[in-house]
Structure formats: C-alpha cells, structure tokens
Amino acid sequence: MTEATGVKPARTYDRVLLKISGEALMGNQGYGLHPPTVTRIAEEVKSVHDLGVEICMVIGGGNIFRGLAGSAQGMERTTADYMGMLATVMNALAMQSALETIGVYTRVISAIPMDQVCEPYIRRRAVRHLEKKRVCIFAAGTGNPYFTTDTAATLRASEMSCQAIFKGTKVDGVYDKDPVKHEDARRYDKISYDEVLQQHLGVMDASAIALARDNKLPIVVFSLDEPGGFRGILAGRGTYTLVHP
C-alpha cells in the first residue's frame, strides 16, 4: 500500500459503520468503562463526522460481560448471550453521552426494545437519522442469542447501505500471525474474504465475514489506538488492511 501525501482530505466513503470491541472502552483497566478512553474515541468519531461522513457504530460488551465466557462457566448459553447484549447497551449509552458532550447528535438504537433508555430498531428511522447527520449506535446485537456483535455490525452495515465497515483494533491491520507474540508477523495491505476464512485470521467471526462477502461490503481493519487513525484513512493516509472481494 502506498501512503498518500497532501493535506486535502480525499474522502472515499459517505456512510460507514465503525465496529469496536467493548474492551476498547476500558483503557488500561481490567474491567468496565474508562471515561477518558471513551472520550478519546468519541473525539475520533467526531473528527470523521466533521468531514461530512455519516457514521453508525456497533460496540461489543466484553468489558462488562461476554456471553460465551459466561456459558463456558456453566451458565445457560441463551441467558448469557442476553446478558452480553445488555452490556452492549450500557456501552452504547456511555458513548452517546461522550459524543453529545462534544456536540455530536447521537441516537442509541437497540434490537431489544427498552423505550425508556433508547429507540427500538426500525430500519427506515435509522436511515433517516443518518441522513440528518446523527451518529447511530446500534446496541443489543441482532437481538438474538448465538450471534456476535461482529455479525450484528455486518448486518446493520448492510441494512444501512454503508460503503464499508471500519474495524478498530489494537493493531494496525490484519497479520498472518499475532504481531504481539511474533516479531516476524507480516501485515497484509489487502486480503480477500475467502483468504481470511481459509487462514482463520480472526478479523471477525466466520458468519460476519461470509455476510460481508455476500454483500460485497469491504472491511477496513485499523488501529484504534493510533491518534487520528480513523480520520487519516478517510483522508487517504495511514496504515490498515482492506478485506475485499
């Protein structure tokens, strides 16, 4: 990949979905929410929103509760997954608060109705929010157990006619092996959906990758810890991996 030069943004996407893990919100803590980290991510979102890009988000709940982990410890799987969905609502409300504090109108939209704290998911209403330049945060996954927030992100991105999914992680792209454990790990500039599935690279779960492939929805994997990384990619700069047809 050749890094672009110049200062004028060369925006290539008009509507995107940002997928981040719940763990991204806990900073250096081992659990829960770290308000300064939530604020930093909100500022990253605002910097892209200021370019005129329509943004929706899906945030995991692993910093509070992970359904699969609860199931592994003996909890009934369906109950554990619903608890994980509720954790994503808590994270979405935290991000909404951070975004609105810095002047970005935001709507939390839940797949599980809870009218007192957020809106129910209605596709046409969500599209209208995006058209009005409001950030939409989709919470509670798909509303069904056994589906991850990765799959929920791909589903919502497809329904909203997003042009790409931006997957914010702790590393600056997709590697052939864990770069934290292996110094010789090689980063891919571009890789196909099928190669991700065949090599078990763990970008997203297999259902999410297959759904993205079926809808020809590109996935941009980048480092959420890199200041200005989200905006930089939309401006034609930065390091990332593009998962594409």
Side-chain angles (χ1 to χ4, degrees), residues 49-103:
H49 186 265
D50 288 346
L51 291 175
V53 179
E54 296 171 2
I55 303 172
C56 43
M57 299 178 66
V58 170
I59 307 172
N63 57 319
I64 299 172
F65 188 87
R66 185 178 295 278
L68 198 58
S71 177
Q73 295 176 27
M75 185 177 291
E76 195 269 326
R77 173 66 188 271
T78 301
T79 298
D81 279 357
Y82 278 120
M83 291 174 67
M85 292 178 214
L86 296 178
T88 72
V89 177
M90 296 171 67
N91 285 338
L93 292 172
M95 183 57 65
Q96 178 186 41
S97 177
L99 283 166
E100 295 199 332
T101 296
I102 58 177

Side-chain angles (χ1 to χ4, degrees), residues 117-219:
V117 295
C118 52
E119 294 184 9
Y121 177 70
I122 300 172
R123 188 186 68 83
R124 288 181 179 273
R125 181 186 294 176
V127 169
R128 186 62 177 149
H129 285 320
L130 291 173
E131 291 172 346
K132 290 182 176 180
K133 306 304 179 185
R134 297 165 181 159
V135 171
C136 290
I137 307 176
F138 297 113
T142 66
N144 301 288
Y146 297 97
F147 290 92
T148 67
T149 51
D150 281 344
T151 301
T154 309
L155 174 63
R156 296 294 183 240
S158 300
E159 290 179 303
M160 294 298 106
S161 300
C162 291
Q163 294 163 319
I165 296 173
F166 278 68
K167 175 74 181 288
T169 69
K170 292 186 176 297
V171 294
D172 59 356
V174 179
Y175 287 77
D176 59 350
K177 48 191 167 184
D178 190 342
V180 176
K181 299 178 180 178
H182 304 277
E183 293 183 1
D184 61 341
R186 181 170 63 89
R187 184 181 63 81
Y188 298 99
D189 289 332
K190 294 182 179 181
I191 190 169
S192 72
Y193 306 114
D194 288 338
E195 289 173 320
V196 168
L197 291 171
Q198 291 165 5
Q199 298 179 42
H200 305 285
L201 293 177
V203 177
M204 288 179 157
D205 65 72
S207 297
I209 294 294
L211 183 59
R213 179 187 61 193
D214 292 346
N215 289 280
K216 297 181 172 57
L217 185 63
I219 303 168

